[in-house]
């Protein structure tokens, strides 16, 4: 495809990580040295994630995972540790700030970072648009002098102050060895993207050696010594003004041009990055993976995508492109996920998983070890269950886990771990009740099990029975090893990782969930064990605890459940789809004016989206103040900040009115818009255009139309044609697969050489260790596949280089999309 046909190149950023723990935090100076602490994640100065508060500990263990798409550019990723305030504001203990350019150094690994002090002069965010000119003026006495003209045009992306848009102003200074002239703009109210458009004039002193010319340049000595410094501040009114950032531009940028106009990223003050000697503030252990995908237009991926989609039908399966990728990236767990998602989208996953599972079964010698290793088949099934079974887990486990976590009864039954005053019999009864509730929820959930999971389980069951025909229990163990061991037991152990709970549980709850998970795992295996089920327990207390369960009844219930979820027969349905919560959280919404005399101000509300409706409430659990059926939503779009001088706003356009909502940060705003757009994508009468701003004072602020019913002035954003449960961007997944192939090109080359060696010599020769980890059943077919992969990826590399070259030439350094970092003189 010609590049001009579809020039769109998407740059998509995502961040996945885990805030593990902090150690040796600085104690309070008073007698009560312990403190409640929490940690936040920020893009520059915008908080996008917060852990729960860990009470009274100087070495808190958070254990909280996070993942989000990054919807904007940023300079720093920062982690802040705060001491929770009671009657006052939370106090920052320290921070870890990582430049975007340095994220790759830490990606995919755990690191201990020393906490640095939080210096107000280093907490900056945003960019400023500046224009500079040098004019020649004739003074009243006839002499010629120079006049420096500085225009502050606008700023973008300034931080929120105390959760609200700031009141910014700028100071403009001409700084030299013996002068510092300062001027100031007007204060702009409640905006993080102020439009200043103010011009300031500075007289530039000439040297005594200057002789009058009609055309002249600035003399070298003046150029070297003068610079313009622009500082951004938040007007504090009665409080102290807050520094927002600064930039410096040397006057010598005008040496070759009479004018200079550019965007500059705001920087910390000169001393902002200098850390004075302070006490040790402690350290923070973090695991993070930053991904930046440069996704080409869809047609560029046709060849690679087609090659991957042929994988399920390839004979042998080990010679397929998908299997080759997973083979050369065997130690990288994340390599399997894009393959699973791509095949899942095109309904090719079941035959592929069936083929790789069959290959694994051929190498399995004993029935009791079936699907117990970390193989390609088990990794594919793990990822498939997490994607497809997300809703299934929510329906089955969330209600009972919410009940368990909120009641939080003591359940410790290990005599060594019992605390003083604990009653082991009471604890045992509490644990038994919890286990029974979880177990009952699972074994009665077969009607909710996704059809795709049932199809895979059915295929596994048939293959296992064929491989071990004399073992009557293998048809159950083949399924239970996945659904109990790798699905339910893991979700019970870490409900926060499966979005069943918002935060990592505390120590007592974590221990309770560990015992429940271990019990569920064992109960699930009972249906596939022949005898001596209790003899496998190493701990005496677990042996005694399992005696409280009715063994035969549990076995029958497990077998019935496994039979039902591994059946391809149609399931009976009540016909009534259960309403599931897709997203909920705190927002600020503007009053919709349903009351004639009501004020249209912003109020904090709890916004909830289910599979049926969007509603807002005063608080979680309270009755809905307003409910909007999904079918009534006509469009969901972002709203210009200028509408209400508020950041991170979006609008829900529905049949009756407009709902204006402000999210807490850019990540949440993007997530709300995306999921609301997806669930309403197929609605009838969806709008084709919308207004980017609000209707205020008798006209639309964006297009000045006076009629409130006037058609929109901008086309609505097209939504990705993705199923709400399977939100898969196939071009992005194919791009990730391409990146994996290119980053593992040396292993791909070794595999190609191994295939050539085997084909020529009819068997492995010398240097066997170089390819002993590869699965090569047919060397010729594998060689041809590898050759095809190299051809396709090399062509894609050419396209990437072309697009990057085109982008670098079209995006000028100093433009809005590519602002200057540091002094302009350093980049001329």
């Amino acid at each position: 495809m010609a590049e001009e046909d579809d020039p769109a190149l998407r740059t998509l950023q995502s961040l996945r990580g885990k805030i593990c723990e902090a150690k040796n935090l600085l104690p309070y100076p008073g007698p009560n040295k312990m403190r409640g602490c929490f940690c936040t994640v920020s893009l520059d100065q915008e908080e996008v994630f917060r852990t729960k508060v860990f009470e009274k500990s100087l070495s808190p263990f958070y254990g909280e995972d996070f993942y989000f798409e990054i919807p904007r550019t940023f300079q720093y990723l920062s982690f802040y540790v705060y001491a929770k305030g009671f009657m006052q504001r939370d106090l920052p203990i320290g921070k870890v700030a990582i430049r975007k350019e340095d994220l790759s150094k830490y990606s995919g690994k755990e690191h201990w970072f020393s906490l640095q002090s939080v210096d107000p002069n280093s907490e900056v965010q945003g960019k400023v648009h500046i224009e500079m000119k040098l004019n020649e003026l004739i003074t009243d006495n006839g002499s010629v002098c120079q006049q420096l003209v500085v225009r502050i045009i606008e700023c973008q992306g300034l931080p929120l102050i105390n959760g609200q848009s700031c009141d910014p102003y700028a100071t403009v200074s001409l700084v030299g060895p013996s002068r510092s002239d300062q001027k100031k703009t007007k204060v702009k109210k409640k905006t993080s993207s102020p439009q200043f458009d103010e011009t300031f004039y500075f007289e530039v002193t000439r040297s005594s050696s200057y002789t009058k010319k009609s055309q002249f340049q600035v003399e070298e000595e003046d150029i070297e010594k003068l610079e313009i410094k622009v500082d951004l501040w938040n007007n504090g009114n009665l409080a102290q003004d807050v520094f927002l950032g600064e930039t410096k531009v040397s006057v010598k940028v005008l040496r070759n041009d009479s004018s200079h106009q550019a965007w500059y990223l705001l920087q910390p003050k000169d001393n902002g990055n200098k850390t004075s000697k302070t006490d040790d503030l402690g350290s923070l252990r973090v695991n993070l993976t930053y991904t930046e995908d440069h996704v080409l237009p869809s047609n560029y991926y046709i060849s690679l995508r087609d090659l991957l989609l042929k994988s399920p039908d390839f004979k042998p399966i080990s010679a397929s492109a998908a299997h080759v990728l997973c083979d050369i990236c065997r130690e990288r767990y994340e390599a399997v996920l894009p393959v699973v998602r791509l095949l899942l989208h095109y309904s090719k996953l079941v035959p592929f998983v069936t083929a790789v599972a069959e290959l694994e079964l051929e190498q399995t010698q004993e029935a009791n070890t079936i699907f117990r290793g970390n193989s390609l088949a088990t990794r594919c099934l793990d990822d498939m269950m997490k994607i497809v079974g997300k809703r299934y887990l929510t329906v089955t486990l969330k209600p009972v886990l919410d009940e368990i976590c909120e009641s939080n009864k003591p359940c410790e039954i290990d005599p060594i771990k019992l605390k003083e005053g604990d009653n082991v019999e009471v604890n045992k009864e509490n644990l038994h009740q919890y286990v029974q509730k979880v177990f009952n929820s699972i074994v009665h959930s077969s009607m909710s099990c996704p059809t795709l999971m049932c199809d895979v389980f059915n295929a596994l069951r048939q293959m296992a029975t064929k491989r071990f025909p004399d073992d009557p229990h293998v048809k159950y163990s083949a399924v239970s090893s996945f659904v109990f061991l790798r699905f339910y037991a893991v979700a019970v152990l870490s409900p926060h990782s499966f979005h069943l709970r918002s935060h990592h549980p505390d120590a007592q709850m974590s221990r309770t969930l560990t015992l429940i998970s271990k019990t569920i795992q064992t109960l699930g295996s009972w249906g596939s064990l022949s005898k001596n089920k209790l003899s496998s327990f190493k701990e005496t207390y677990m042996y005694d605890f399992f005696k409280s369960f009715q063994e035969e009844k549990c076995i029958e219930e497990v077998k019935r459940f496994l039979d039902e979820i591994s059946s391809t027969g149609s399931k009976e349905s009540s016909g009534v789809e259960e309403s599931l919560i897709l997203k909920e959280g705190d927002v600020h919404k503007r009053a919709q004016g349903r009351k004639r005399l009501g004020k249209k101000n912003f109020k904090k509300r709890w916004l909830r989206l289910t599979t049926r409706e969007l509603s807002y409430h005063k608080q979680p659990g309270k009755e809905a103040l307003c409910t909007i059926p999904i079918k009534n939503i006509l469009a969901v779009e972002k709203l210009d900040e200028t509408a209400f001088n508020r950041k991170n706003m979006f609008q829900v356009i529905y049949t009756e009115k407009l709902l204006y909502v402000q999210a807490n940060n850019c990540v949440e705003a993007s997530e709300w818009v995306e999921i609301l757009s997806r669930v309403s994508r197929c609605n009838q009468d969806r709008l084709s255009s919308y207004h980017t701003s609000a209707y205020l004072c008798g006209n639309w602020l964006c297009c000045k139309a006076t009629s409130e019913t006037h058609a929109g002035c901008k086309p609505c954003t097209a939504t990705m044609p993705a199923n709400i449960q399977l939100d898969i961007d196939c071009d992005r997944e194919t791009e990730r697969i391409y990146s994996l192939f290119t980053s593992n090109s040396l292993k791909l080359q070794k595999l190609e050489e191994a295939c050539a060696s085997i084909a020529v010599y009819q068997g492995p020769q010398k240097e066997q260790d170089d390819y002993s980890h590869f699965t090569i059943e047919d060397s010729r077919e594998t060689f041809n596949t590898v050759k095809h992969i190299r051809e396709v990826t090399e062509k894609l590399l050419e396209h990437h280089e072309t697009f990057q070259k085109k982008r670098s030439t079209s995006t000028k350094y100093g433009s809005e999309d590519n602002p200057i970092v540091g002094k302009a003189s350093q980049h001329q």
Side-chain angles (χ1 to χ4, degrees):
M1 185 186 76
E3 290 171 24
E4 56 269 18
D5 292 344
D6 187 359
L9 175 69
R10 295 183 293 149
T11 299
L12 305 174
Q13 307 172 96
S14 63
L15 185 70
R16 182 184 302 278
K18 184 173 188 175
I19 300 174
C20 303
E21 61 179 318
K23 275 190 176 179
N24 305 320
L25 298 180
L26 197 66
Y28 277 130
N32 184 14
K33 297 182 181 297
M34 308 298 280
R35 58 173 78 192
C37 304
F38 64 92
C39 187
T40 66
V41 182
S42 293
L43 298 174
D44 297 323
Q45 295 305 297
E46 185 175 17
E47 181 184 318
V48 293
F49 178 81
R50 176 180 292 212
T51 70
K52 70 175 184 179
V53 178
F54 201 100
E55 297 292 349
K56 296 182 179 180
S57 175
L58 299 179
S59 295
F61 180 84
Y62 297 110
E64 298 216 18
D65 301 290
F66 59 86
Y67 173 82
F68 50 83
E69 299 288 327
I70 302 175
R72 64 170 179 82
T73 58
F74 67 100
Q75 292 190 72
Y76 284 91
L77 173 70
S78 300
F79 299 86
Y80 291 83
V81 179
Y82 285 91
K84 182 66 178 174
F86 294 99
M87 302 299 293
Q88 56 185 355
R89 293 177 58 187
D90 301 326
L91 299 175
I93 298 174
K95 72 172 184 178
V96 174
I98 307 172
R99 281 187 176 274
K100 178 184 175 181
E101 295 78 13
D102 296 333
L103 285 172
S104 58
K105 299 177 184 178
Y106 309 104
S107 192
K109 302 174 183 177
E110 279 191 3
H111 288 271
W112 279 102
F113 295 93
S114 296
L115 292 177
Q116 305 296 319
S117 60
V118 179
D119 178 4
N121 290 331
S122 68
E123 307 297 293
V124 303
Q125 175 183 313
K127 54 189 176 183
V128 59
H129 194 189
I130 303 172
E131 182 182 25
M132 295 169 55
K133 293 181 180 179
L134 203 58
N135 294 336
E136 180 180 292
L137 288 181
I138 300 177
T139 63
D140 294 339
N141 60 12
S143 62
V144 178
C145 70
Q146 288 178 297
Q147 185 184 60
L148 181 63
V149 183
V150 181
R151 179 175 165 227
I152 306 301
I153 303 172
E154 62 179 314
C155 289
Q156 285 186 8
L158 299 181
L160 299 176
I161 303 295
N162 298 327
Q164 298 295 324
S165 294
C166 53
D167 295 338
Y169 69 89
T171 60
V172 186
S173 305
L174 178 62
V175 181
S178 59
R179 64 185 291 177
S180 182
D181 301 338
Q182 186 179 92
K183 303 178 187 295
K184 176 182 173 183
T185 69
K186 295 177 182 178
V187 176
K188 299 295 181 179
K189 292 291 186 180
K190 303 299 179 187
T191 177
S192 56
S193 297
Q195 301 288 322
F196 292 112
D197 198 16
E198 294 191 40
T199 304
F200 303 95
Y201 302 90
F202 298 90
E203 182 179 334
V204 179
T205 305
R206 307 259 343 142
S207 66
S208 58
S209 63
Y210 171 72
T211 57
K212 186 174 180 179
K213 302 175 185 177
S214 58
Q215 299 292 329
F216 63 86
Q217 295 181 340
V218 183
E219 292 186 15
E220 189 68 24
E221 57 181 356
D222 291 335
I223 294 174
E224 296 298 332
K225 295 176 181 178
L226 296 178
E227 67 180 10
I228 285 292
K229 184 163 76 80
V230 179
D231 289 57
L232 270 295
W233 298 85
N234 176 60
N235 182 37
N237 294 320
L238 300 178
Q240 185 177 0
D241 291 357
V242 177
F243 176 73
L244 302 178
E246 72 174 20
T247 191
K248 297 178 181 179
V249 187
S250 173
V251 177
K252 73 178 181 180
V253 298
L254 298 171
R255 179 191 301 168
N256 300 321
D257 297 307
S258 60
S259 66
H260 169 76
Q261 185 177 135
W263 284 88
Y264 288 83
L265 283 176
L266 294 176
Q267 300 296 312
K269 280 191 179 179
D270 287 338
N271 62 348
N273 291 326
K274 296 178 183 178
T275 55
S276 56
K277 188 174 181 181
T278 60
D279 295 331
D280 184 10
L281 301 177
S283 54
L284 185 69
R285 181 164 63 96
V286 175
N287 188 332
L288 58 90
T289 299
Y290 170 74
T291 305
E292 186 172 286
D293 298 313
H294 300 283
V295 184
L296 301 172
S298 186
N299 278 16
Y300 288 92
Y301 295 109
I302 290 176
S303 297
L304 179 56
R305 189 164 56 236
D306 288 347
L307 182 61
L308 292 161
L309 294 179
K310 291 176 183 176
S311 296
D313 304 318
F314 221 89
K315 303 295 182 185
I317 190 65
S318 60
S320 67
H323 197 288
V324 166
L325 173 68
C326 299
D327 221 15
I328 63 174
C329 304
R330 188 172 299 185
E331 71 282 0
R332 296 184 61 177
Y333 186 83
E334 70 272 15
V336 177
L337 183 58
V339 172
V340 169
R341 292 173 69 87
L342 186 67
L343 296 178
L344 194 55
H345 182 84
Y346 287 98
S347 302
K348 296 276 191 177
L349 183 62
V350 175
F352 179 73
V353 170
T354 301
V356 295
E358 190 170 15
L359 177 61
E360 180 178 335
L361 278 172
E362 291 174 2
Q363 301 166 356
T364 304
Q365 302 302 318
E366 297 181 11
N368 61 356
T369 62
I370 190 170
F371 301 128
R372 291 301 173 102
N374 188 25
S375 63
L376 176 57
T378 58
R379 288 159 67 187
C380 285
L381 262 294
D382 285 350
D383 284 335
M384 182 272 288
M385 290 190 296
K386 287 178 182 177
I387 299 168
V388 178
K390 183 178 179 181
R391 179 173 175 178
Y392 177 37
L393 271 182
T394 303
V395 172
T396 308
L397 285 186
K398 184 168 175 53
V400 65
L401 287 179
D402 284 344
E403 180 185 345
I404 291 171
C405 291
E406 287 162 13
S407 59
N408 199 5
K409 298 177 183 178
C411 295
E412 185 56 72
I413 59 175
D414 184 351
I416 300 176
K417 296 183 179 180
L418 286 172
K419 299 178 182 177
E420 186 177 351
D422 281 352
N423 187 320
V424 69
E425 294 302 322
V426 172
N427 291 3
K428 193 178 295 185
E429 179 60 27
N430 292 339
L431 181 59
H432 188 279
Q433 289 178 4
Y434 284 164
V435 170
Q436 199 65 56
K437 287 180 179 181
V438 174
F439 181 75
N440 288 339
S441 294
I442 293 172
V443 296
H444 293 98
S445 69
S446 59
M447 292 302 158
S448 301
C449 187
T451 303
L452 188 67
M453 288 175 63
C454 294
D455 290 343
V456 172
F457 294 153
N458 179 263
L460 294 177
R461 180 174 183 159
Q462 291 186 23
M463 287 187 295
T465 303
K466 181 180 178 180
R467 176 69 177 86
F468 299 102
D470 298 329
D471 191 324
H473 304 283
V474 74
K475 63 180 181 179
Y476 295 113
S477 60
V479 179
S480 66
S481 60
F482 286 106
V483 74
F484 280 102
L485 176 63
R486 295 176 174 271
F487 188 56
Y488 276 121
V490 178
V492 170
L493 184 65
S494 303
H496 58 290
S497 299
F498 290 82
H499 305 289
L500 301 175
R501 297 287 295 174
S502 57
H503 292 291
H504 187 278
D506 59 31
Q508 178 175 309
M509 193 70 253
S510 183
R511 173 62 177 166
T512 297
L513 293 176
T514 300
L515 292 171
I516 296 173
S517 175
K518 188 174 183 178
T519 309
I520 290 298
Q521 179 181 328
T522 305
L523 290 176
S525 68
W526 273 8
S528 58
L529 295 175
S530 55
K531 56 183 179 178
N532 298 327
K533 295 151 184 90
L534 296 178
S535 63
S536 60
F537 295 116
K538 298 178 181 178
E539 305 96 339
T540 305
Y541 66 88
M542 291 300 293
Y543 178 91
D544 295 334
F545 174 64
F546 272 91
K547 286 183 178 179
S548 63
F549 291 91
Q550 298 179 30
E551 183 177 333
E552 294 303 323
K553 182 181 178 182
C554 288
I555 291 174
E556 290 306 313
E557 288 182 323
V558 168
K559 286 185 174 180
R560 175 185 54 78
F561 170 67
L562 295 175
D563 285 336
E564 290 173 349
I565 64 171
S566 56
S567 169
T568 56
S570 60
K571 300 185 180 73
E572 296 181 5
S573 173
S574 63
V576 179
E577 183 182 0
E578 186 173 352
S579 178
L580 292 177
I581 298 173
L582 299 176
K583 184 173 176 61
E584 59 182 342
D586 282 320
V587 298
H588 284 82
K589 61 156 285 290
R590 185 174 186 259
Q592 300 180 78
R594 295 193 305 275
K595 297 179 181 178
R596 183 176 295 273
L597 300 178
K599 292 183 178 180
K600 291 188 176 181
N601 55 356
F602 281 83
K603 294 184 178 180
K604 188 175 182 179
R605 292 291 183 254
W606 183 261
L607 192 64
R608 170 176 290 177
L609 175 65
T610 71
T611 48
R612 295 178 183 171
E613 61 194 22
L614 176 69
S615 59
Y616 59 80
H617 316 245
K618 276 194 174 182
Q619 294 175 349
K622 297 291 185 181
E623 187 176 345
L625 299 174
C626 177
T627 299
I628 304 170
I630 295 295
K631 63 181 181 180
N632 291 352
I633 296 178
L634 305 179
V636 183
E637 298 287 347
K638 292 186 176 180
L639 193 71
D640 281 352
E641 181 189 327
T642 54
F644 301 105
N645 287 329
R646 288 172 177 255
K647 295 182 72 172
N648 305 318
M649 286 206 64
F650 63 93
Q651 53 184 319
V652 181
I653 307 169
Y654 62 106
T655 49
E656 289 83 13
K657 288 183 178 294
L658 273 166
L659 178 63
Y660 294 124
V661 181
Q662 182 186 27
N664 291 323
N665 54 62
C666 64
V667 170
E668 286 193 13
S670 181
E671 289 176 350
W672 275 115
V673 170
E674 181 182 357
I675 194 167
L676 281 166
S677 299
R678 286 210 316 271
V679 297
S680 60
R681 180 176 60 87
C682 297
N683 287 355
Q684 293 183 351
D685 302 323
R686 272 187 66 89
L687 298 180
S688 58
S689 61
Y690 75 104
H691 290 283
T692 58
S693 194
Y695 184 82
L696 297 173
C697 303
N699 65 77
W700 291 99
L701 300 181
C702 44
C703 60
K704 306 306 178 185
T706 56
S707 173
E708 193 169 1
T709 58
H710 194 277
C713 55
K714 184 177 180 180
C716 286
T717 307
T719 56
M720 295 292 292
N723 181 284
I724 183 62
Q725 275 78 40
L726 303 179
D727 176 26
I728 297 172
D729 183 343
C730 293
D731 293 340
R732 188 178 191 178
E733 303 304 333
T734 312
E735 169 62 26
R736 286 179 174 174
I737 291 170
Y738 156 75
S739 298
L740 287 165
F741 274 132
T742 53
S743 61
N744 289 273
S745 58
L746 290 178
K747 290 185 179 179
L748 200 62
Q749 183 179 346
K750 282 189 176 183
L751 176 58
E752 187 177 33
E753 292 170 354
C755 291
S757 174
I758 293 172
V760 171
Y761 297 106
Q762 300 299 314
Q765 302 296 312
K766 57 184 179 180
E767 301 177 359
Q768 183 174 350
D769 288 343
D770 286 345
Y771 51 85
S772 60
H773 297 297
F774 298 134
T775 304
I776 305 175
E777 293 180 280
D778 187 320
S779 59
R780 293 183 184 276
E781 288 293 341
T782 306
F783 180 87
N784 290 334
T785 299
V786 173
K787 183 180 178 182
H788 199 172
I789 290 170
R790 290 168 70 89
E791 292 172 355
V792 170
T793 53
E794 285 170 5
K795 193 68 177 176
L796 267 174
L797 177 61
E798 292 177 8
H799 291 316
H800 270 285
E801 290 174 344
T802 301
F803 267 87
Q804 292 297 345
K805 185 177 180 180
K806 186 177 179 181
R807 169 176 279 193
S808 62
T809 54
S810 62
T811 307
K812 181 183 175 183
Y813 189 53
S815 65
E816 183 176 351
D817 294 330
N818 190 18
I820 295 171
V821 182
K823 290 186 180 181
S825 61
Q826 297 171 352
H827 305 280
Q828 300 305 308

